[in-house]
Amino acid sequence: MHHSLLGRGWLVASLYALLCGCTSTDKESAALNSKDGLPIGAVIALTGNSSVVGQDQRIGLELARDQFKDEEPKVRLLLEDGGSDEQTATNAFRALIHGGAVALIGPSLSQQAFAVNPLADRAGVPVVGPSNTAVGIPEIGDFVARVSAPVSLVAPLSIQAALKQNPAIKRAAVFFSHDDAYSTSESKIFQQALVARGLQPITVQRTNVSDTDFQNQVTATLRLKPDLIVISALPNDGGNLVRQIRELGYGGLIVVGNGMNTPNIYPICQKYCDGLLIAQAYSAEARSASNEAFLAAYRKARGGAIPPQFTAQSYTAYQVVVEALRKLHADLPAGQILSALPTRELRQRLNAAILGGSYDTPLGPIRFTPEGEVIQNNFYVAQVRMNPDGRSGRFQLLP
Ligand code: 1QQ
């Protein structure tokens, strides 16, 4: 049965290719892939140094898949591991683009997005970034949007919060992973925010995402007697850096960036995660029907805990794609179905619908600029509060 359906699909596809003279990437109509629903691809970091980010994102995607499954058109989630590097993400993007995905959610890292989003853009496949926060992502192309607000809007809030907690701060030290696009972009914003408040950094230390030992750089920095340390790094290098800064005796405030926006840092920096300041684009305390539904689904699946920002954002990315498809479906003349459209046309229409829509999401009401940049109203700052066990804790929102 399955075999014969596939055979008929290929026959249709081959005839279509013959008739339109299309290349192998656009010969298929979406119908070929739509037996079990229109395929929505997702490429997230389930392996590599940022796999803890992908863990949060997978939960959000699967919750959204279950939440939005009962309406037309039928969709299905094709989840691929994008790793934490460009090559793995490239392979996953290629597979899903060729496999007929109507849209792609991903990749997890800006470093990957700058490499793979141009592939999707050239193929005319809409991309919705669930967690890319570097400056310049939507500008990659017409088919690239994101639900993750950029570092330029979010990061300065945590500097502001640090100065509110300690107005006597005079000596800020900066660390960033210089081989990562997000970290580099965010650090630039952090440094601008510091300078704008008269705090020219006393040192700027460049690290690598694969580093685990920061003793030399931390020792050199602590000799300069900083009273604020500001870090842009991914969860592993950032978590180890925080731990070593504390172990070497630093007692002042530490601001970290979006790369550490996950409770999965707790096992890495342990009790030393306590007190970290971090700006966020999601609040579990925000009251809206959409957030309540998300929270209820999360609690049911995960037993009570507070959903991380990356989970809320990937849920939102899926919601955006589904709601845009629903709009297309509702606007079709009677008797037509989306899956009968040629894939290229469906992707094009979907991209326009995504960019043109307004969405009530767990992140609040959002929409997009024509460029694909998210427009979102509210951002927050949290402080990590570790429990005495040094293993569990929470991101507590500051007033
Ligand atoms: C980016 C990020 C990462 C920290 C998300 C996991 O913000 O790469 O843009």
Side-chain angles (χ1 to χ4, degrees):
M1 165 84 167
H2 185 250
H3 187 258
S4 75
L5 278 178
L6 187 70
R8 202 161 60 211
W10 276 111
L11 189 64
V12 171
S14 310
L15 278 173
Y16 183 70
L18 266 175
L19 291 173
C20 82
C22 302
T23 66
S24 64
T25 55
D26 55 14
K27 69 188 177 191
E28 301 166 9
S29 81
L32 179 58
N33 291 301
S34 67
K35 292 281 177 273
D36 306 306
L38 294 168
I40 299 174
V43 173
I44 57 174
L46 295 171
T47 56
N49 59 32
S50 295
S51 61
V52 298
V53 172
Q55 286 166 21
D56 287 354
Q57 294 179 313
R58 167 178 225 145
I59 296 164
L61 291 169
E62 291 178 346
L63 289 178
R65 176 196 59 197
D66 295 346
Q67 197 84 353
F68 300 108
K69 72 176 185 312
D70 287 333
E71 289 175 57
E72 291 298 325
K74 289 279 172 280
V75 295
R76 75 196 142 104
L77 172 63
L78 300 182
L79 191 62
E80 288 277 338
D81 176 22
S84 300
D85 62 315
E86 291 91 319
Q87 193 53 55
T88 311
T90 300
N91 296 343
F93 257 52
R94 287 221 171 100
L96 289 169
I97 291 167
H98 292 271
V102 294
L104 294 171
I105 295 166
S108 295
L109 304 175
S110 291
Q111 179 70 26
Q112 299 173 306
F114 285 116
V116 302
N117 287 3
L119 301 175
D121 191 62
R122 278 199 295 277
V125 185
V127 180
V128 180
S131 56
N132 313 134
T133 61
V135 170
I137 295 286
E139 291 78 4
I140 291 172
D142 293 345
F143 285 83
V144 179
R146 62 171 155 194
V147 300
S148 42
V151 288
S152 46
L153 295 181
V154 181
L157 300 175
S158 51
I159 301 290
Q160 196 178 308
L163 286 163
K164 193 168 159 202
Q165 286 197 0
N166 180 8
I169 286 170
K170 289 279 174 311
R171 299 176 62 77
V174 170
F175 284 77
F176 75 100
S177 316
H178 77 120
D179 55 349
D180 175 68
Y182 136 76
S183 303
T184 304
S185 181
E186 187 188 63
S187 188
K188 207 177 281 175
I189 300 297
F190 273 145
Q191 291 175 50
Q192 285 167 2
L194 289 167
V195 169
R197 289 163 179 80
L199 296 169
Q200 180 68 42
I202 57 168
T203 181
V204 177
Q205 298 284 335
R206 292 159 173 253
T207 60
N208 295 297
V209 287
S210 57
D211 286 348
T212 52
D213 179 356
F214 303 93
Q215 303 272 332
N216 289 341
Q217 283 160 294
V218 173
T219 304
T221 299
L222 296 189
R223 245 185 247 130
L224 301 173
K225 304 262 177 270
D227 51 17
L228 174 66
I229 295 182
V230 180
I231 299 172
S232 295
L234 295 174
N236 267 309
D237 51 328
N240 282 310
L241 177 56
V242 163
R243 185 167 50 71
Q244 288 167 37
I245 285 170
R246 292 299 188 204
E247 282 170 352
L248 288 168
Y250 176 72
L253 283 174
I254 302 179
V255 164
V256 297
N258 195 50
M260 297 180 69
N261 226 331
T262 166
N264 298 330
I265 62 169
Y266 300 158
I268 309 172
C269 41
Q270 303 169 25
K271 66 178 178 186
Y272 300 120
C273 307
D274 196 64
L276 293 176
L277 287 169
I278 184 160
Q280 305 193 303
Y282 170 70
S283 163
E285 293 166 24
R287 297 272 82 85
S288 70
S290 169
N291 197 31
E292 299 298 343
F294 168 63
L295 286 168
Y298 186 84
R299 289 192 182 119
K300 198 165 150 212
R302 313 297 299 181
I306 297 170
Q309 174 201 268
F310 293 134
T311 303
Q313 287 176 321
S314 61
Y315 179 100
T316 298
Y318 191 90
Q319 180 185 344
V320 162
V321 175
V322 168
E323 290 190 359
L325 281 168
R326 277 186 200 162
K327 170 107 181 41
L328 288 184
H329 176 82
D331 290 350
L332 281 179
Q336 282 193 20
I337 53 168
L338 281 180
S339 55
L341 292 173
T343 306
R344 175 171 288 276
E345 186 183 340
L346 176 52
R347 286 164 165 171
Q348 222 153 31
R349 287 202 204 178
L350 179 55
N351 191 53
I354 288 170
L355 293 176
S358 310
Y359 310 86
D360 282 316
T361 77
L363 311 180
I366 63 167
R367 59 210 162 79
F368 297 97
T369 67
E371 207 111 65
E373 185 65 279
V374 66
I375 301 174
Q376 179 180 355
N377 299 333
N378 295 313
F379 305 112
Y380 311 87
V381 181
Q383 192 152 31
V384 176
R385 291 296 173 211
M386 294 302 290
N387 298 327
D389 65 6
R391 291 262 148 197
S392 60
R394 66 190 190 286
F395 284 74
Q396 185 183 302
L397 289 189
L398 299 177

